[in-house]
Amino acid sequence: MQLQASDYFIIIVVIIAAVLAGLYYFNRKNYKKVIESQDFIAANKMTVQIFVIDKKYERPTEKNLPKNIYEKLPKSSKIRKMAIVKAKVGPQITTLMCDKPVYDILPVKKNVKVELAGIYIVGMKGVNLADKKKKTIREKLTLAARGEKKEKETKK
């Protein structure tokens, strides 16, 4: 019994369909977890003034995170580099984690008002993240071109 090209095609289509069904299932499961975590963060965030001592991108270890938090991290988070901020919150020096957009504009050696949910920095108060983020060369050129168009329109 020989397999023909159509048989191979059917087998490949069935395998691809099974893989896509599995990915769809896991995506829905993870999406629900993300929504639950966002709701939890929104319910528990509070505005606090902190003094940022240092910020780094590094893998979480028991040295740079509290032991109980390090143990609760999923395995995938332990492998990946994260934005870790060392800051003074009140009289205590703590290690915090944050989002990339917040990490990019967070000034070092300055007092900053941030929205904190546990040890997670959700956002900064009084700062527009879109204006402060580092722009690529393409974005800078686009903004410059728009600025020139506006100048020509105002001169007319």
Side-chain angles (χ1 to χ4, degrees):
M1 182 172 128
Q2 288 185 327
L3 294 176
Q4 296 179 357
S6 62
D7 294 335
Y8 287 119
F9 180 72
I10 291 172
I11 291 170
I12 291 172
V13 168
V14 169
I15 291 172
I16 290 174
V19 168
L20 290 176
L23 288 174
Y24 177 75
Y25 172 75
F26 287 120
N27 187 28
R28 285 190 60 163
K29 189 176 177 183
N30 286 336
Y31 186 70
K32 288 178 184 177
K33 285 182 182 179
V34 167
I35 290 175
E36 289 174 5
S37 66
Q38 291 298 328
D39 291 341
F40 180 78
I41 287 172
N44 293 316
K45 71 180 177 182
M46 59 188 203
T47 304
V48 178
Q49 185 163 356
I50 64 171
F51 179 77
V52 180
I53 297 171
D54 189 24
K55 64 179 191 173
K56 292 182 184 177
Y57 258 111
E58 57 188 5
R59 288 190 176 92
T61 61
E62 288 184 24
K63 292 179 183 177
N64 58 14
L65 282 179
K67 187 176 181 181
N68 59 349
I69 292 172
Y70 179 76
E71 291 172 355
K72 291 180 184 177
L73 282 176
K75 201 170 197 177
S76 62
S77 296
K78 291 179 183 179
I79 296 170
R80 189 174 7 166
K81 287 188 176 183
M82 301 174 79
I84 296 179
V85 177
K86 189 168 275 205
K88 185 174 182 181
V89 182
Q92 187 176 8
I93 295 176
T94 59
T95 304
L96 307 169
M97 297 185 304
C98 67
D99 287 333
K100 181 164 177 30
V102 176
Y103 178 82
D104 289 340
I105 65 163
L106 201 64
V108 181
K109 305 289 184 196
K110 297 217 175 168
N111 283 324
V112 182
K113 278 192 177 182
V114 296
E115 293 176 338
L116 228 106
I119 66 158
Y120 194 70
I121 301 174
V122 179
M124 289 178 57
K125 285 287 189 179
V127 177
N128 187 356
L129 296 179
D131 293 342
K132 297 290 184 176
K133 78 169 196 164
K134 293 181 182 177
K135 294 181 175 77
T136 62
I137 294 174
R138 184 176 184 181
E139 290 172 342
K140 289 178 185 178
L141 292 174
T142 306
L143 288 174
R146 286 183 188 164
E148 290 175 7
K149 287 180 185 177
K150 288 180 182 177
E151 287 177 12
K152 288 179 183 178
E153 290 175 2
T154 55
K155 288 180 182 179
K156 289 181 182 179

